[in-house]
Amino acid sequence: MKKALLALLIVVFASILCSAQQVVDKMVATVNAGVKTDLITYSDLLWQLALQPNTPLDNPTSPDLNRALRLLIDQRLILQEADKIPTIVPTQKEISDARDELARNFPTPLEFQQRLQRVGMTSEKLDEIIEQRLKMEKYLDFRFRNFVVISQKEITDYYGQVYTPRFRTRFPGRIVPSLEQVRDEIEQTLKEAKIESDTDAFLDTARERAEIVMLNPV
């Protein structure tokens, strides 16, 4: 009797194990197939949503999933270029610091950990995603930020045409800061805007050249 029960348990366990092995993460898209970072899975979409505060994880909507997919496609395109430059690999301290900063975007550390657990994201996978994000940031800095130049005319024009009218609307009756007082702030604003514009142009070109194949609808 015991042998028969043991044999039955072995069969049941083997059946469960076989079923578990057949569960494969759904492939959603490929970006330039054959490249190391080409595949996007459904888990990638869930992980992306989990790292976005205030984004529901239960029965994610199609718009949320598609926004995550578009973002991941752009990230893959940047990462594929970043991987060509081995000198921009983040350090372990940079990864650790970025992980702590990411966790602070959530109400509590416990809630952050619970979100990760709900989508099956391990600590190792989180570090991998953070490393990729840092690598992309370093690449964009290398490609765009280091070469952005803001002229004095651009600063002066922005101060007169944008900063001053906006300040007067937001703070009526208050004295508008002088150009010298806000020069650095304006220069940084213009620099970030130019970097964003250059990045958008880079991604537009990358998307046109890329081979993006949708494997499953989301």
Side-chain angles (χ1 to χ4, degrees):
M1 182 69 178
K2 290 183 178 180
K3 290 184 178 179
L5 179 59
L6 178 61
L8 178 61
L9 289 174
I10 291 174
V11 170
V12 171
F13 178 76
S15 176
I16 294 173
L17 180 61
C18 181
S19 297
Q21 290 173 337
Q22 292 175 356
V23 177
V24 180
D25 195 8
K26 183 170 73 172
M27 296 183 293
V28 175
T30 60
V31 182
N32 294 323
V35 182
K36 185 176 70 172
T37 53
D38 64 340
L39 182 63
I40 297 175
T41 67
Y42 188 75
S43 287
D44 289 321
L45 301 183
L46 293 181
W47 293 335
Q48 180 68 39
L49 295 178
L51 297 178
Q52 297 173 353
N54 303 317
T55 301
L57 295 179
D58 295 327
N59 300 317
T61 65
S62 181
D64 281 343
L65 289 170
N66 276 288
R67 277 192 294 270
L69 177 58
R70 289 193 295 271
L71 181 59
L72 283 167
I73 288 173
D74 286 349
Q75 289 179 352
R76 291 292 193 273
L77 291 171
I78 297 172
L79 191 59
Q80 287 171 8
E81 292 299 315
D83 281 338
K84 299 175 184 178
I85 307 176
T87 57
I88 62 174
V89 175
T91 66
Q92 191 57 49
K93 184 179 186 308
E94 288 174 323
I95 294 173
S96 178
D97 290 345
R99 183 175 59 237
D100 293 342
E101 182 178 351
L102 178 61
R104 285 193 288 271
N105 293 327
F106 295 82
T108 66
L110 178 60
E111 180 174 327
F112 180 57
Q113 289 301 323
Q114 288 175 338
R115 284 179 70 87
L116 302 187
Q117 292 171 2
R118 285 171 63 187
V119 295
M121 187 189 300
T122 64
S123 177
E124 292 76 16
K125 186 62 186 180
L126 175 60
D127 282 355
E128 179 185 335
I129 291 173
I130 291 174
E131 180 180 7
Q132 290 177 345
R133 290 185 175 187
L134 289 173
K135 190 180 293 186
M136 288 185 286
E137 289 177 12
K138 286 175 175 284
Y139 173 76
L140 294 176
D141 284 348
F142 169 80
R143 175 148 186 175
F144 301 114
R145 187 177 300 278
N146 294 337
F147 301 99
V148 172
V149 177
I150 305 299
S151 69
Q152 292 305 310
K153 183 178 186 306
E154 288 176 302
I155 295 174
T156 302
D157 289 347
Y158 185 90
Y159 176 77
Q161 299 170 13
V162 180
Y163 184 90
T164 298
R166 183 181 295 169
F167 187 93
R168 286 173 174 161
T169 300
R170 294 178 60 188
F171 310 106
R174 289 178 53 178
I175 298 176
V176 179
S178 68
L179 174 58
E180 289 306 314
Q181 289 175 307
V182 295
R183 181 183 299 277
D184 291 344
E185 177 186 341
I186 291 176
E187 183 175 8
Q188 187 61 30
T189 298
L190 291 174
K191 183 176 291 187
E192 294 302 324
K194 188 168 288 189
I195 291 170
E196 183 177 353
S197 176
D198 290 345
T199 301
D200 288 344
F202 159 75
L203 284 171
D204 286 342
T205 301
R207 291 189 204 101
E208 291 175 0
R209 296 177 177 175
E211 182 183 354
I212 300 172
V213 180
M214 307 306 295
L215 303 174
N216 282 293
V218 294

